[in-house]
Structure formats: structure tokens, C-alpha cells
Amino acid sequence: AGTGKTETTKDLSRALGLQIVVFNCSDQMTYHSMAQIFMGIAQTGCWGCFDEFNRISIEVLSVVSTQYKTILDAIRSNVAQFSFMEEDIRLISTNGAFITMNPGYAGRTELPENLKALFRPVAMIVPDLRFICENMLMSEGFIKARPLANKFVQLYSLCKELLSKQMHYDWGLRAVKSLLRQAGTLKRLEPESDENPVLCRALRDFNTPKITTLDMPIFLRLIKDLFPGCWPDPFSDPDFEKVCIGTSKRRGLQPDP
């Protein structure tokens, strides 16, 4: 997960000027709902990206292969109309279907061979976060993008190794992108200030709410090691803090400012 399968498909469609619709697949999907999606794709000429395709049950997948093969045969025949699920529908030949999946995950289905034959497999590996961080930092206006990207990736890799395993922890590409956007916001608030404290503040303030009490000392120690002598004050909103503390006390909770 987090290798950029869906984003790559979306970027390809954008480059070709074609609309793409992303569907999050689940085991609740039936061959009727899949038929409706395929009919829409065939008649509009857009692309369909079926995310986590192997979540669909094996019974439905075997019918889906027949449905999609009907569309592919119509495209090869270069016809303007064709019969699909006992209905005559028009065909715009720019349509296409892409599937993304993480094989080997629990609760996932092995694709039938006749369905595999309809698609061209593309293997994806985990991208180098260092280059992504560097480019995103530069696009957000950071001048020292390379050394800061090294510190960022080092922190996240150490967190993955040293902190406890929690369901809500995410040290992957999605978390990296969202935090870099936050760092860019802080940079624009203080465009002339030193960039090390800006990134340090972003990494500390946007991660500490999700860190457990036992992991907190380790996390803060890692940040202090990577940004020695740099400990900027967090942005504070006293009025908002008073409201939060008051609400917590009224609900019988213990405020932790």
C-alpha cells in the first residue's frame, strides 16, 4: 500500500485528457452493480479505476471477466453499438478499465485466470521517499530541501522501527504528503525565518497528537537528535485552549493542554 498505484493511473488519464472515475471495491459489490459501472464507462468513453479489485468475491469476479471481455471484443470490432447484458448500448472506444490490488493481504481473492488475461500486469515497488520529500519541499518554497528531506525520511524510518506498533500509526507516503503540505503552510506564514525550526515544528506539532504516552519520550528524543539546538515554540491560541479546557471539565474529562 502507498506505492502510488491509483495516483499513477489518475496522472496517466490527466496526461491524455481523459476523465477517470475511481471506484473503491468491496465484497458488497455484485455483478449487477459492476454491469452498471461498465455500461457507464462504455457509453461515456471515460476510464474506470477499480481500487482494491481483489476485495470482490470470486463468484462476482468470474462474471465480471465475461462482462469486460464483451466490451473489449466490441472495441476490437470497431462498432458504434453493441449488446451488453441484453441491452443495446453505444460504445466510445476511448473507454478503459484499470485495477489496483495488493496481493497477499488477508481477506483478498485470487483473480481467476480468464480475468487476468484481460489485463496487463504492472508491478509497483515502494518509492524512494527522499526524492518525493525533496521535490515537495522545493515546491512548497523551501531552499534547503535536500538536507531537510534527509532528516524527514530518517525520522519516519526510525519511528517505524523504534515506536510501538499501533493501528493508527502511519509512516508511509500518504502521511508524508499531508505533513509536507502542513510544513509548506507554516513556511508561508514565516517566509523569512530559518527553515530548520519550521520543519521541526511541523514534524513535532502534527505528529504528537497521535503518539501514545509510552512512545512520546522516544519520539521527542528523535526530533531533538535530528534537529539539535532547535526547539521552536508551538503556535498557541489561548482563547481556543480556554474553550477546550472548559468543555473538557464540563464533560468530566481531564484536560491535557
Side-chain angles (χ1 to χ4, degrees):
T3 56
K5 299 181 289 296
T6 308
E7 291 300 321
T8 302
T9 310
K10 284 159 71 177
D11 278 351
L12 180 60
S13 73
R14 198 177 297 125
L16 295 173
L18 290 169
Q19 183 191 3
I20 186 165
V21 186
V22 179
F23 301 95
N24 293 306
C25 299
S26 74
D27 54 2
Q28 305 299 311
M29 295 180 89
T30 64
Y31 73 91
H32 289 295
S33 59
M34 291 297 293
Q36 294 297 316
I37 293 171
F38 282 133
M39 287 170 81
I41 288 172
Q43 293 181 94
T44 56
C46 70
W47 284 1
C49 178
F50 298 90
D51 229 4
E52 303 294 351
F53 192 65
N54 55 343
R55 280 182 182 158
I56 302 173
S57 62
I58 188 70
E59 296 83 4
V60 176
L61 288 177
S62 57
V63 181
V64 166
S65 63
T66 309
Q67 291 173 342
Y68 189 52
K69 189 175 187 306
T70 307
I71 297 175
L72 291 178
D73 290 343
I75 293 171
R76 290 191 190 98
S77 304
N78 201 23
V79 293
Q81 274 196 328
F82 72 109
S83 178
F84 183 83
M85 297 288 287
E86 300 179 354
E87 284 188 49
D88 283 339
I89 60 172
R90 69 170 184 166
L91 175 71
I92 298 179
S93 59
T94 55
N95 76 75
F98 294 79
I99 61 176
T100 74
M101 49 190 272
N102 291 302
Y105 272 33
R108 306 295 163 87
T109 314
E110 179 67 26
L111 295 190
E113 290 301 324
N114 59 343
L115 186 58
K116 283 182 185 176
L118 303 177
F119 294 93
R120 178 180 297 174
V122 178
M124 304 281 283
I125 61 169
V126 178
D128 190 335
L129 289 180
R130 220 172 291 268
F131 291 124
I132 294 173
C133 283
E134 186 180 340
N135 280 284
M136 280 198 72
L137 285 169
M138 282 192 285
S139 69
E140 295 287 356
F142 285 82
I143 307 299
K144 304 174 186 172
R146 183 162 293 175
L148 290 175
N150 288 335
K151 289 183 179 184
F152 193 117
V153 175
Q154 189 70 31
L155 175 69
Y156 269 40
S157 60
L158 287 170
C159 285
K160 196 183 293 184
E161 292 170 15
L162 299 178
L163 300 190
S164 62
K165 301 290 181 280
Q166 301 290 336
M167 287 290 288
H168 66 282
Y169 282 179
D170 180 12
W171 309 110
L173 185 59
R174 291 187 183 95
V176 167
K177 286 185 71 176
S178 62
L179 198 139
L180 286 172
R181 279 194 289 270
Q182 298 291 348
T185 306
L186 295 181
K187 170 70 176 170
R188 286 185 287 279
L189 289 173
E190 302 175 320
E192 303 302 322
S193 64
D194 185 15
E195 291 176 353
N196 273 293
V198 172
L199 186 64
C200 177
R201 180 185 282 138
L203 285 166
R204 183 194 64 199
D205 294 355
F206 291 102
N207 278 314
T208 45
K210 71 178 179 185
I211 304 294
T212 61
T213 309
L214 293 174
D215 287 336
M216 189 63 76
I218 304 170
F219 178 73
L220 295 179
R221 184 73 252 173
L222 287 173
I223 291 184
K224 285 178 180 175
D225 287 347
L226 285 167
F227 296 91
C230 172
W231 199 251
D233 295 327
F235 283 119
S236 61
D237 188 342
D239 296 332
F240 183 61
E241 279 186 26
K242 281 180 187 174
V243 173
C244 290
I245 291 169
T247 306
S248 301
K249 286 179 178 175
R250 280 197 302 275
R251 294 188 175 186
L253 302 171
Q254 184 178 348
D256 184 16

